[in-house]
Every structure is written in structure tokens, then in C-alpha cells.
Amino acid sequence: MKKIEKLAELINEIEALMNVCTRCGSCQSVCSVYGQTCDEADSARGKIVLLKALGKKIFQNPKKVQKRLDCCLLCGSCGFLCPNGVDIFEIFLKARVILAEFTGLSASKKILLRQILAKNNVFDHVCDLGSKYQNILLKHADNDLNTSCSRSFSPLPKNRYFVDIAETSFKKRVELKKSYKSYKSYKTDSKRVLFFVGCLTDKLYPDIGDAVLKVLNYHGFNVIIPEEQGCCGMPSIAGGDLYSFQKLVKHNIDIIKKEKFDYIVSACPTCIFAIKKIWSLFFEADKKLKEEIKKIGEKIIDINEFIVKKTVSDFPDEKKAKENIIKMTYHDPCHLKKSLNVVNEPRILIKQNKKYDFIEMEDSDRCCGMGGSFSITHYNISEKIAEKKIENIKKTKAKVVSTACPACMMQLSDALSKIEDKIKVKHSIEIYADSLKESVVSG
Ligand code: SF4
Ligand code: SF4
């Protein structure tokens, strides 16, 4: 069988999912990429039409379809709004895998995804080196946002600001601070909570990890942090690499299975979404593994949602704004709102911090333009999308923008590094942790 026929056959395996689309076009209005390019092929509807044409062999240029599929933030805004419930993630991710297998992964993706990301020790080591030598390619730019920009000879996008890799990762901090070892000691009868850290919290934002620990300790939970947990696999599957994705999923399942816990929490909605909804899509034939994924998926919950719903705390709704109080606004991460339906809980928690006066921004759930590697490979579009978000932040006159996703924090920090106003970026759990007295349950 000719290769193109095999490809068409594979694409047709997801045809039933694509046939749910009635081409109504509603998804165009919420697609930030389409909003910038005004190109039908960049909307969800356009991408589905191209894929179907490839399946029917009407269109025979897989590389062009792949290019269009890659021009997507995987934000899920289209699927969230779609009146017919088209499963955008299943279609786009499966199509990315099929096309990557057909065209072959680039050498750089193979190294990055298979030799670095999928190997925990190597990834840790590379990030350690990165933290020591990052200023060879990058020049420190902003102390408040902790960002650096590209040097003239660097291959990275010239006008992008990158959040610095932490000198000591969260997992290293845990290793170094003996008091954190309490997470394995089960001193009380309280519920056991496994903390799925995620790469960005670990390598870029260890303070978020500290905040999660403080909050869990404050509310009396026993915390478990398996040291060997790895990446959730989302960058792999978004890059079309089934091999490294499956390797990471199996690795994480093995690590999680060893522990006894009541819940799993994370401060990264993309990790939660991947575990809850994406992992099982790529193990359809393996019933045992699917069952294990289902059990893990049922236990994992966003840290904001967990604190609001699973503690007996009373969270007063509003407070009186005082003069000279710091204005703060909130950005809804796409994967948290549109994929996990968590909207109010981060707001409830950040309002507990009396230092801040909360102001809702316009279009708080409009995508910030991050989209993982999209913000590097399609930086010109990503940057423009972020500019709109920054305009809305500025209108609130906020001095702090809170969100509940480390990836959104990276994107906001990039865009805010370019403006004169000093606006800080904080995770909602950091703001809540800052409102608490020191842990009542000591480590
Ligand atoms: S909103 Fe849904 S049904 Fe309508 S064109 Fe977009 S994907 Fe298709
Ligand atoms: S996932 Fe986001 S960027 Fe991609 S087509 Fe849908 S709305 Fe557009």
C-alpha cells in the first residue's frame, strides 16, 4: 500500500470524531489564532476540513496540513464553545501523532522529547546546567518578573522574555529541607495528598511548590511528593511523539501506584487535564492500563478547587476595599476554565488575601497566547495575542495579575516585561498562601 493511502486510512480512523462538526463556524469567534491571521485554515473548522480532505485523498500534501495543525494553541476555546461538542483535543492530538509518524520527527524534537524530557535524570541535569549557564544566551532583564531576554547571537526569538530557570528546583528544595520530609511520615490521621508538581513549577516556579506545601500543611493534610515523578507528557503528545508520551505516562503511573493517597493535587491545569483526559486516549487497547489511568484521573484535582471544596474552611466572599490597597486582577487559564471547569475557586482564594483589592478584567478567559512551544515556534502570533490580554490587564490598573497556571505566568511575564508599568505575576495559590499564618501543622 502506498504511504499516502496508509496515511489516509489512519486519518479516516478519526473521521467519526470529525463528522460531528457541522461547519457552523461558531469556533472562529473564540480562536485567538484565527483572530490574528483571519485565515480559515487556522480555525478549528478549517483544520477539520483539511484533515478530512487528506483522508479522502482530495488534498495530498500532509506537510501543509501538519503546518496548519501546528498553528494552534491547543487552548480548547473552540471545543468549549462548540454547540455540537466536537472533541477538538482528541482530533488534533491524534492527527498530530499520525502526521508526525508520516513525516518523521525532526532531529531537534527527537533529542528534546525522547532524550531529555522522557528521561527524568537527564532533564533534571539539563535544567541544572541551564540555570547555571542561561545567561550565555540570555540577558537578565526584569527583577520583579524574573525574566531575561535573548542575546543578539542567541537562536531564541529575539524579543521574547524568558522566565529564568530556578537555581534550586522545587524537588531539590524538598530534598534539601529536612522538614519537608514530613510528607512521608503520616503523623496524623488526616487525608493523604499526593502533589503532582509538574515541570514548570519544579524548574521555573519553585515558590508555587512551596505555596502548595504551606497551604496543604495549614489545612492539616499529609503530603506525599514522589521524587521520581516526571513530566505529564503533554509537550510530547502536542509535538506528535507517541513514543515519549507513552513512556512518560507509564513511568508516572508506576511512580504514583507505589503510594497510598486519597487525592492528587497539582497547581498546573495542563498536567491535570493531561492526566484526566488525555492519557487514556492513547492507550485504548490496554484495558489494565486504562483502568489505572481512570483511577488516577478520578483522584486528581486542581489545588484551588481542592482547598475550596475539600476543606471545612469558611471563605468569606468579599471584603471591604481599603485605601492604598494593591489592585489585583485574575486571568482564567484556558485548561483550567474550559477543560476542567474551575472558575470560581481561584477567585475565592485570592480574595482571602487582605492586601489586595480584586478587580475583574474584561475577557478574563481570553487565551493569553502561550500554547506551550507555540509561543516559540509562532512567536509573532503569540506575542500579538498576549498584547490584547495586557491591554485588558492595564485597564484594571492592577499592580498584580494572578492566574492559576505556570504556563500562563510565563506568557504574561514575557508580555509584561515589555511595558513600562510594573505589574507582577503571581499564582493564585501563592496569593492565598501569603494570606495564611505559618503552617499550623509543622513539618
Ligand atoms: S463550532 Fe464546532 S461544529 Fe461549529 S465549525 Fe467549529 S468545530 Fe465545527
Ligand atoms: S484550540 Fe484554540 S487556537 Fe486551536 S483552533 Fe481551537 S481555539 Fe483556535
Side-chain angles (χ1 to χ4, degrees), residues 27 30-34 42-44 47 71-79 88 92:
C27 49
V30 287
C31 178
S32 300
V33 174
Y34 176 81
D42 286 330
S43 72
K47 288 177 169 70
C71 189
C72 170
L73 294 151
L74 290 174
C75 63
S77 303
C78 46
I88 294 297
F92 288 178

Side-chain angles (χ1 to χ4, degrees), residues 389-398 416 419 421 423:
K389 176 64 60 184
I390 300 307
E391 279 313 307
N392 288 338
I393 294 171
K394 280 167 76 178
K395 275 190 223 160
T396 66
K397 303 208 180 333
L416 291 170
I419 63 167
D421 310 34
I423 303 174

